[in-house]
Amino acid sequence: MKVFTIDKDEGYSLSMIVEKSERLKRLPPYLFKEIDRQKNEVKARGVDIIDLGVGDPDIPTPQHIIDALKDAADDPVNHRYPSYSGMDDFNQAVADWYKRRFNVELDPQREVITLIGSKEGIAHIPLAFIDSGDVALVSSPGYPVYNIGVQFAGGKTYFMDLLKENRFLPDLESIPPNVAQKAKMMFLNYPNNPTSAVASDDFFQSVVLFALRHNIIVCHDAAYTEIAFDGYRPMSFLQVEGAKEVGIEFHSLSKTYNMTGWRIGFAVGNAKIIEGLGQIKSNIDSGAFQAIQVAGIAALSSGQSCVEEMRRIYAERRDILVSGLREAGLSIDVPLATFYLWVEVPEGYTSEGFTSHLLTRAGIVTTPGNGFGSAGEGYIRMALTVDKERIQEAVTRIKKVGF
Ligand SMILES: *Cc1c(COP(=O)(O)O)cnc(C)c1O
């Protein structure tokens, strides 16, 4: 066999320059780099780290959902390419769940689409509606994927600051008229990650009016509607009149059923917007594994006592952490929803400075608020994704090191 060799005398050098696209080069700087470095350093010292950094539930997926996957995985019907837009039965289960949970009517054929996790749909949707130079309104702080998706599509992001004095809702009236006029999309998320703020009926109504006035597609990320406490039940954006005219809602099984690793979510609402997202997806992916959709049907259609139990666990952790932090001298509101605490840093600290202090002195990982956007400066996010004993231990350590 003749082996191919490159004749270096011909002027080839055995190296190539791998040039990344402008799209990647223009990505915002990765703000957690320094914190990651410190985390590795603290780990290397052998410190017992309490990780309140990641928004990834520690509680396992409920057993009846796992069992549904096991059975479905054995069925050869599920080994083939799924339908792009989702199994009819899954989309029907979503529509039924929306009816039961929010009293919102959805046509499972035209107003529901299955996603490979809601992040997938959120990242892809700008490709359907944003052209080069188009403007999208994105809240800051916020889930980073909204901005990145807009950037990847060639769009420009206008950040709407979420401020404490506005209860972490964007002030739509402060958006300059020329920006509002040019905007094509808006991303919102309530209950909110990272601030844990919740939205009222009034706020969603003002969003619908604003969107109608300026012809803006509203994408509401509803990943946390089921993680709420003290009897509070967050609403769907689609419950307000006119919402389905202007927008869609992203939803995920990840947080509701502790299924972050499974990759299943969905978007619902305006049929034209869902169709646009579907067109992009059908050219990129081939749908979610059917066995996972079958498990998703089990999750949405069975009794919801597992969700009730999860709420109870997070509420207990929340109460321990909130009262502990208050005793330690931090100012903190009790969140009504999500599994995050959005904590103001004490006098004299920046977000990164306080994160670094807790990490290096107390072995506690938190997330600096500015990592979610510049308006997050002055805060850190703590996730309630470790058990209550560890949360108690975190409180003890914080009181001991002080600040
Ligand atoms: C976790 C999260 C998601 C994404 O979840 P998927 O696992 O991709 O479904 C979306 N939005 C927010 C705000 C989140 O915190």
Side-chain angles (χ1 to χ4, degrees), residues 333-349:
D333 290 331
V334 182
L336 267 185
T338 79
F339 45 57
Y340 304 110
L341 297 194
W342 188 236
V343 184
E344 254 177 275
V345 303
E347 279 282 320
Y349 285 93

Side-chain angles (χ1 to χ4, degrees), residues 4-289:
F4 171 71
T5 55
I6 291 175
D7 183 352
K8 296 189 190 72
D9 295 337
E10 295 271 320
Y12 292 102
S13 80
L14 268 182
S15 71
M16 195 185 78
I17 298 160
V18 176
E19 178 93 13
K20 287 189 180 159
S21 64
E22 287 304 316
R23 169 177 314 111
L24 285 184
K25 288 194 217 158
R26 273 198 305 257
L27 277 179
Y30 180 65
L31 285 164
F32 303 130
K33 206 160 149 185
E34 175 57 20
I35 293 297
D36 285 351
R37 193 192 60 74
Q38 289 178 15
K39 188 157 73 175
N40 289 332
E41 197 180 283
V42 173
K43 259 192 199 140
R45 276 199 268 127
V47 173
D48 164 35
I49 285 184
I50 302 175
D51 194 343
L52 308 180
V54 287
D56 190 355
D58 58 313
I59 309 163
T61 306
Q63 191 59 44
H64 66 283
I65 302 173
I66 300 172
D67 291 342
L69 169 73
K70 284 181 179 166
D71 288 345
D74 276 334
D75 186 348
V77 163
N78 295 328
H79 300 168
R80 311 191 63 190
Y81 281 124
S83 129
Y84 293 118
S85 55
M87 293 167 75
D88 289 345
D89 288 352
F90 181 81
N91 291 353
Q92 183 68 55
V94 168
D96 292 345
W97 183 78
Y98 252 74
K99 175 72 186 157
R100 277 197 307 278
R101 171 66 178 85
F102 300 115
N103 199 26
V104 167
E105 305 271 359
L106 296 166
D107 174 352
Q109 312 276 335
R110 299 166 54 248
E111 296 176 334
V112 181
I113 188 169
T114 305
L115 301 171
I116 309 171
S118 61
K119 179 179 184 179
E120 178 264 302
I122 291 166
H124 280 143
I125 196 162
L127 293 174
F129 301 106
I130 294 281
D131 285 315
S132 179
D134 281 348
V135 173
L137 308 174
V138 173
S139 48
S140 167
Y143 185 59
V145 185
Y146 314 134
N147 173 43
I148 303 283
V150 170
Q151 300 294 316
F152 278 178
K156 292 202 179 91
T157 302
Y158 176 88
F159 287 106
M160 306 180 288
D161 287 354
L162 306 185
L163 306 175
K164 185 182 178 184
E165 61 261 36
N166 299 326
R167 289 156 65 227
F168 302 106
L169 298 169
D171 177 6
L172 300 177
E173 294 316 311
S174 76
I175 297 169
N178 62 324
V179 173
Q181 221 40 58
K182 273 171 67 181
K184 281 201 76 178
M185 299 182 81
M186 174 193 289
F187 285 90
L188 293 171
N189 162 224
Y190 292 97
N192 184 259
N193 173 13
T195 68
S196 78
V198 298
S200 64
D201 197 20
D202 286 355
F203 172 71
F204 281 150
Q205 276 172 26
S206 69
V207 170
V208 169
L209 293 178
F210 185 83
L212 283 172
R213 185 144 39 102
H214 300 292
N215 219 53
I216 295 171
I217 292 170
V218 177
C219 294
H220 182 243
D221 179 352
Y224 293 94
T225 57
E226 305 317 292
I227 322 266
F229 317 112
D230 310 334
Y232 172 66
R233 298 290 273 153
M235 63 185 291
S236 160
F237 173 62
L238 298 180
Q239 278 173 275
V240 302
E241 193 183 353
K244 213 197 267 181
E245 189 57 33
V246 300
I248 63 169
E249 187 154 79
F250 287 94
H251 231 295
S252 171
L253 281 75
S254 289
K255 314 291 163 59
T256 308
Y257 304 103
N258 306 319
M259 291 173 74
T260 48
W262 297 54
R263 312 315 303 136
I264 179 117
F266 50 90
V268 297
N270 183 286
K272 281 260 166 57
I273 304 173
I274 295 291
E275 182 186 292
L277 175 57
Q279 251 178 302
I280 295 294
K281 280 176 58 60
S282 67
N283 284 287
I284 292 179
D285 67 61
S286 299
F289 180 30

